[in-house]
mmCIF file of all heavy atoms in Angstrom:
data_model
loop_
_atom_site.group_PDB
_atom_site.id
_atom_site.type_symbol
_atom_site.label_atom_id
_atom_site.label_comp_id
_atom_site.label_asym_id
_atom_site.label_seq_id
_atom_site.Cartn_x
_atom_site.Cartn_y
_atom_site.Cartn_z
ATOM 1 N N LYS A 387 20.206 -14.436 0.869
ATOM 2 C CA LYS A 387 19.551 -13.137 1.073
ATOM 3 C C LYS A 387 18.018 -13.280 1.256
ATOM 4 O O LYS A 387 17.455 -14.073 0.477
ATOM 5 C CB LYS A 387 19.754 -12.231 -0.214
ATOM 6 C CG LYS A 387 21.078 -11.483 -0.245
ATOM 7 C CD LYS A 387 21.141 -10.667 -1.472
ATOM 8 C CE LYS A 387 22.688 -10.313 -1.827
ATOM 9 N NZ LYS A 387 22.848 -9.775 -3.143
ATOM 10 N N LEU A 388 17.522 -12.522 2.225
ATOM 11 C CA LEU A 388 16.069 -12.478 2.358
ATOM 12 C C LEU A 388 15.769 -10.993 2.117
ATOM 13 O O LEU A 388 16.304 -10.122 2.774
ATOM 14 C CB LEU A 388 15.815 -12.900 3.767
ATOM 15 C CG LEU A 388 14.398 -12.865 4.291
ATOM 16 C CD1 LEU A 388 13.474 -13.789 3.479
ATOM 17 C CD2 LEU A 388 14.333 -13.349 5.739
ATOM 18 N N ILE A 389 14.740 -10.792 1.293
ATOM 19 C CA ILE A 389 14.457 -9.412 0.939
ATOM 20 C C ILE A 389 13.042 -9.009 1.461
ATOM 21 O O ILE A 389 12.094 -9.794 1.281
ATOM 22 C CB ILE A 389 14.594 -9.132 -0.544
ATOM 23 C CG1 ILE A 389 15.995 -9.367 -0.819
ATOM 24 C CG2 ILE A 389 14.024 -7.691 -0.856
ATOM 25 C CD1 ILE A 389 16.579 -8.586 -2.003
ATOM 26 N N ALA A 390 12.951 -7.812 2.110
ATOM 27 C CA ALA A 390 11.643 -7.367 2.552
ATOM 28 C C ALA A 390 11.371 -6.049 1.804
ATOM 29 O O ALA A 390 12.214 -5.213 1.618
ATOM 30 C CB ALA A 390 11.676 -7.069 4.025
ATOM 31 N N ALA A 391 10.106 -5.841 1.375
ATOM 32 C CA ALA A 391 9.769 -4.587 0.714
ATOM 33 C C ALA A 391 8.405 -4.181 1.212
ATOM 34 O O ALA A 391 7.469 -5.042 1.286
ATOM 35 C CB ALA A 391 9.831 -4.763 -0.780
ATOM 36 N N ARG A 392 8.226 -2.882 1.425
ATOM 37 C CA ARG A 392 6.952 -2.385 1.878
ATOM 38 C C ARG A 392 6.400 -1.165 1.168
ATOM 39 O O ARG A 392 7.158 -0.306 0.814
ATOM 40 C CB ARG A 392 7.110 -2.005 3.429
ATOM 41 C CG ARG A 392 5.824 -1.256 3.976
ATOM 42 C CD ARG A 392 6.056 -0.542 5.242
ATOM 43 N NE ARG A 392 4.925 0.328 5.283
ATOM 44 C CZ ARG A 392 4.124 0.537 6.322
ATOM 45 N NH1 ARG A 392 4.405 -0.043 7.462
ATOM 46 N NH2 ARG A 392 3.078 1.388 6.237
ATOM 47 N N HIS A 393 5.175 -1.299 0.827
ATOM 48 C CA HIS A 393 4.387 -0.096 0.467
ATOM 49 C C HIS A 393 2.945 -0.299 0.832
ATOM 50 O O HIS A 393 2.178 -0.991 0.249
ATOM 51 C CB HIS A 393 4.492 0.155 -1.077
ATOM 52 C CG HIS A 393 3.841 1.342 -1.549
ATOM 53 N ND1 HIS A 393 4.430 2.623 -1.394
ATOM 54 C CD2 HIS A 393 2.557 1.613 -1.996
ATOM 55 C CE1 HIS A 393 3.562 3.477 -1.887
ATOM 56 N NE2 HIS A 393 2.461 2.971 -2.220
ATOM 57 N N GLY A 394 2.543 0.364 1.867
ATOM 58 C CA GLY A 394 1.104 0.376 2.322
ATOM 59 C C GLY A 394 0.743 -0.801 3.068
ATOM 60 O O GLY A 394 -0.436 -1.068 3.300
ATOM 61 N N SER A 395 1.546 -1.736 3.420
ATOM 62 C CA SER A 395 1.139 -2.896 4.162
ATOM 63 C C SER A 395 2.232 -3.279 5.124
ATOM 64 O O SER A 395 3.387 -3.416 4.736
ATOM 65 C CB SER A 395 0.961 -4.148 3.157
ATOM 66 O OG SER A 395 0.503 -5.263 3.918
ATOM 67 N N GLN A 396 1.912 -3.183 6.384
ATOM 68 C CA GLN A 396 2.908 -3.205 7.452
ATOM 69 C C GLN A 396 3.997 -4.328 7.354
ATOM 70 O O GLN A 396 3.622 -5.497 7.093
ATOM 71 C CB GLN A 396 2.284 -3.275 8.877
ATOM 72 C CG GLN A 396 3.175 -3.660 9.961
ATOM 73 C CD GLN A 396 2.951 -2.937 11.251
ATOM 74 O OE1 GLN A 396 3.021 -1.686 11.248
ATOM 75 N NE2 GLN A 396 2.676 -3.730 12.256
ATOM 76 N N LEU A 397 5.216 -4.014 7.486
ATOM 77 C CA LEU A 397 6.274 -4.994 7.461
ATOM 78 C C LEU A 397 7.392 -4.562 8.418
ATOM 79 O O LEU A 397 7.750 -3.448 8.485
ATOM 80 C CB LEU A 397 6.856 -5.086 5.987
ATOM 81 C CG LEU A 397 7.381 -6.468 5.654
ATOM 82 C CD1 LEU A 397 6.316 -7.578 5.780
ATOM 83 C CD2 LEU A 397 8.000 -6.472 4.245
ATOM 84 N N ILE A 398 7.851 -5.554 9.189
ATOM 85 C CA ILE A 398 8.780 -5.201 10.291
ATOM 86 C C ILE A 398 9.937 -6.166 10.150
ATOM 87 O O ILE A 398 9.757 -7.360 9.845
ATOM 88 C CB ILE A 398 8.046 -5.505 11.594
ATOM 89 C CG1 ILE A 398 6.889 -4.536 11.782
ATOM 90 C CG2 ILE A 398 8.992 -5.247 12.827
ATOM 91 C CD1 ILE A 398 5.749 -5.090 12.594
ATOM 92 N N VAL A 399 11.165 -5.710 10.402
ATOM 93 C CA VAL A 399 12.383 -6.563 10.409
ATOM 94 C C VAL A 399 12.736 -6.756 11.884
ATOM 95 O O VAL A 399 12.843 -5.789 12.726
ATOM 96 C CB VAL A 399 13.469 -5.875 9.639
ATOM 97 C CG1 VAL A 399 14.751 -6.749 9.813
ATOM 98 C CG2 VAL A 399 13.104 -5.701 8.191
ATOM 99 N N GLY A 400 12.958 -7.990 12.218
ATOM 100 C CA GLY A 400 13.436 -8.344 13.622
ATOM 101 C C GLY A 400 14.936 -8.587 13.538
ATOM 102 O O GLY A 400 15.420 -9.224 12.580
ATOM 103 N N ILE A 401 15.608 -8.127 14.597
ATOM 104 C CA ILE A 401 17.064 -8.288 14.575
ATOM 105 C C ILE A 401 17.435 -9.164 15.760
ATOM 106 O O ILE A 401 17.221 -8.796 16.988
ATOM 107 C CB ILE A 401 17.775 -6.933 14.709
ATOM 108 C CG1 ILE A 401 17.325 -6.052 13.481
ATOM 109 C CG2 ILE A 401 19.264 -7.070 14.714
ATOM 110 C CD1 ILE A 401 17.700 -4.615 13.663
ATOM 111 N N GLY A 402 18.011 -10.285 15.449
ATOM 112 C CA GLY A 402 18.481 -11.196 16.457
ATOM 113 C C GLY A 402 20.019 -11.349 16.422
ATOM 114 O O GLY A 402 20.700 -10.619 15.793
ATOM 115 N N LYS A 403 20.566 -12.415 17.140
ATOM 116 C CA LYS A 403 21.978 -12.634 17.084
ATOM 117 C C LYS A 403 22.258 -13.528 15.856
ATOM 118 O O LYS A 403 21.842 -14.668 15.864
ATOM 119 C CB LYS A 403 22.402 -13.352 18.344
ATOM 120 C CG LYS A 403 22.918 -12.419 19.388
ATOM 121 C CD LYS A 403 23.599 -13.228 20.529
ATOM 122 C CE LYS A 403 23.700 -12.390 21.772
ATOM 123 N NZ LYS A 403 23.464 -13.158 22.962
ATOM 124 N N LYS A 404 23.018 -12.964 14.958
ATOM 125 C CA LYS A 404 23.318 -13.744 13.699
ATOM 126 C C LYS A 404 21.995 -14.251 13.025
ATOM 127 O O LYS A 404 21.960 -15.341 12.547
ATOM 128 C CB LYS A 404 24.299 -14.872 13.941
ATOM 129 C CG LYS A 404 25.653 -14.446 14.295
ATOM 130 C CD LYS A 404 26.564 -15.577 14.339
ATOM 131 C CE LYS A 404 28.015 -15.204 14.693
ATOM 132 N NZ LYS A 404 28.618 -14.262 13.786
ATOM 133 N N GLU A 405 20.991 -13.459 13.089
ATOM 134 C CA GLU A 405 19.728 -13.832 12.389
ATOM 135 C C GLU A 405 18.861 -12.612 12.223
ATOM 136 O O GLU A 405 18.898 -11.678 12.911
ATOM 137 C CB GLU A 405 18.962 -14.908 13.153
ATOM 138 C CG GLU A 405 18.624 -14.498 14.611
ATOM 139 C CD GLU A 405 18.018 -15.664 15.440
ATOM 140 O OE1 GLU A 405 17.843 -16.795 14.995
ATOM 141 O OE2 GLU A 405 17.682 -15.329 16.574
ATOM 142 N N HIS A 406 18.059 -12.647 11.179
ATOM 143 C CA HIS A 406 17.081 -11.650 10.883
ATOM 144 C C HIS A 406 15.762 -12.254 10.605
ATOM 145 O O HIS A 406 15.618 -13.370 10.073
ATOM 146 C CB HIS A 406 17.478 -10.763 9.651
ATOM 147 C CG HIS A 406 18.592 -9.830 10.053
ATOM 148 N ND1 HIS A 406 19.955 -10.053 9.758
ATOM 149 C CD2 HIS A 406 18.628 -8.639 10.747
ATOM 150 C CE1 HIS A 406 20.702 -9.045 10.193
ATOM 151 N NE2 HIS A 406 19.875 -8.171 10.786
ATOM 152 N N PHE A 407 14.679 -11.510 10.896
ATOM 153 C CA PHE A 407 13.348 -12.014 10.745
ATOM 154 C C PHE A 407 12.604 -10.904 9.916
ATOM 155 O O PHE A 407 12.868 -9.727 9.931
ATOM 156 C CB PHE A 407 12.627 -12.138 12.009
ATOM 157 C CG PHE A 407 13.294 -12.955 13.045
ATOM 158 C CD1 PHE A 407 14.328 -12.388 13.850
ATOM 159 C CD2 PHE A 407 12.942 -14.268 13.207
ATOM 160 C CE1 PHE A 407 14.970 -13.253 14.778
ATOM 161 C CE2 PHE A 407 13.522 -15.064 14.227
ATOM 162 C CZ PHE A 407 14.594 -14.470 14.949
ATOM 163 N N ILE A 408 11.566 -11.333 9.150
ATOM 164 C CA ILE A 408 10.639 -10.404 8.592
ATOM 165 C C ILE A 408 9.185 -10.822 9.123
ATOM 166 O O ILE A 408 8.912 -11.970 9.205
ATOM 167 C CB ILE A 408 10.529 -10.503 7.038
ATOM 168 C CG1 ILE A 408 11.903 -10.201 6.486
ATOM 169 C CG2 ILE A 408 9.563 -9.582 6.519
ATOM 170 C CD1 ILE A 408 11.965 -10.389 4.910
ATOM 171 N N THR A 409 8.418 -9.864 9.380
ATOM 172 C CA THR A 409 7.054 -10.218 9.855
ATOM 173 C C THR A 409 6.108 -9.010 9.537
ATOM 174 O O THR A 409 6.524 -7.910 9.532
ATOM 175 C CB THR A 409 6.967 -10.590 11.346
ATOM 176 O OG1 THR A 409 5.648 -10.909 11.679
ATOM 177 C CG2 THR A 409 7.365 -9.430 12.268
ATOM 178 N N SER A 410 4.860 -9.427 9.396
ATOM 179 C CA SER A 410 3.784 -8.375 9.263
ATOM 180 C C SER A 410 3.196 -8.008 10.596
ATOM 181 O O SER A 410 2.392 -7.124 10.669
ATOM 182 C CB SER A 410 2.688 -8.938 8.360
ATOM 183 O OG SER A 410 2.255 -10.132 8.846
ATOM 184 N N ASP A 411 3.684 -8.640 11.643
ATOM 185 C CA ASP A 411 3.148 -8.381 13.028
ATOM 186 C C ASP A 411 4.148 -8.854 14.003
ATOM 187 O O ASP A 411 4.501 -9.974 14.036
ATOM 188 C CB ASP A 411 1.830 -9.238 13.101
ATOM 189 C CG ASP A 411 1.032 -8.926 14.400
ATOM 190 O OD1 ASP A 411 1.768 -8.621 15.450
ATOM 191 O OD2 ASP A 411 -0.103 -9.094 14.448
ATOM 192 N N VAL A 412 4.587 -7.961 14.946
ATOM 193 C CA VAL A 412 5.594 -8.350 15.865
ATOM 194 C C VAL A 412 5.268 -9.567 16.723
ATOM 195 O O VAL A 412 6.239 -10.215 17.182
ATOM 196 C CB VAL A 412 6.030 -7.151 16.864
ATOM 197 C CG1 VAL A 412 6.820 -6.085 16.126
ATOM 198 C CG2 VAL A 412 4.782 -6.590 17.500
#
Side-chain angles (χ1 to χ4, degrees):
K387 279 181 195 165
L388 175 64
I389 295 206
R392 172 196 161 134
H393 183 79
S395 184
Q396 166 141 299
L397 210 59
I398 299 150
V399 174
I401 302 169
K403 263 194 201 142
K404 290 191 182 298
E405 58 186 359
H406 283 101
F407 306 80
I408 298 175
T409 181
S410 50
D411 181 332
V412 283

